[in-house]
Amino acid sequence: MTPTLRIAIVGAGAIGCTLAARLVGSGQPVKLLARGDTLATLKRDGIRLSDLQGEHHVRVTASDNAHELGEQDLIFICTKAPALPAVLAQIPPMVGPHTVVVPVVNGVPWWYFHGEGGRFAGQPIKALDVDGQLARALDLSHVIGCVVFITAQCPQPCVVESRNPHLMIVGEPDNSLSPRLEQLRDVIERAGIEARSTDRIRDSLWTKIIANLTSNPLSVVTGATLEQLYGLPELRELVSSTLHETLLTAAAHGARVSIDPHTFLELGAGMGAVRTSMLQDFDKGRPLELAAIGDAVLELAEHMAVPMPVTRNIIALARFRGAHPTPQGA
């Protein structure tokens, strides 16, 4: 029997609320660190999740004060990458000697070169951590890597809709199969989410990075859904170019990514009329996760002298689009 743990989730967006609802439904109490209108909604209405397993309405303890939430056994960080500096500065009161911190964040993680060894051991990802703030904010011995395959949307705060299966892959940065890793996998699995532990977490990271990089920036440029990006011939060609450039970069860094391009494109088109998370952020005028999803991959490619001309141009266009949104009614 899985013991009851002190679990906190930082960030009450689509992924954070999905994870909270599933965990509470499994009998694990959850605390959320949130703020503003989202915090008020959590306290008043709780979380409503509609997914393939039904309708879920749960109540959680929520606060904007990490001291109030207290020390935790397990912390899931479910925020966008641009929010990480502020988030990591907030959570120290929640981190004890044995606390496990699981960043559930898109793109290349800031801890990528931690624990793996090799000639880049300990180096920061400069696109994510220019001044070393992230590296200083949290002792990386607390971190377990995570790759999340959950597509979800929030039509309104703390109300989540998800129409695809949930999957989370977890792994130690040093590739060990530790007892705490197995406990984490068990907690997630008991919450009704398919969970896998791995001794090669970077392989899974690259699979998700490829999914994000082939879809998110181009969706901002075009406004296209996953079905259109991976299905329409004129967009599919651009997606294929980004796919192959990113596969070369992953291989150069020693990752084993088992992707059949044709099957990958078919699966992407089969996701339906889903708007990527970056396109949703663009629609709402929020910062785009281009540093983690795009710039960091270009940085890793430069380490290995792998050219990524198509990907680089799409990222540049997405950055321009994000900085110059089309006026309403134009």
Side-chain angles (χ1 to χ4, degrees), residues 294-329:
D295 299 337
V297 178
L298 297 178
E299 181 178 328
L300 291 176
E302 288 172 359
H303 279 323
M304 297 299 191
V306 177
M308 299 187 74
V310 173
T311 304
R312 186 179 297 276
N313 287 337
I314 292 173
I315 291 169
L317 289 170
R319 177 164 281 113
F320 176 85
R321 187 96 170 92
H324 302 84
T326 303
Q328 294 291 323

Side-chain angles (χ1 to χ4, degrees), residues 7 45 91 147 154 167 172 201 237 272 277 280:
I7 299 178
D45 302 327
I91 67 169
V147 184
C154 285
L167 167 64
E172 293 278 8
I201 187 62
E237 184 175 345
S277 59
Q280 293 178 55

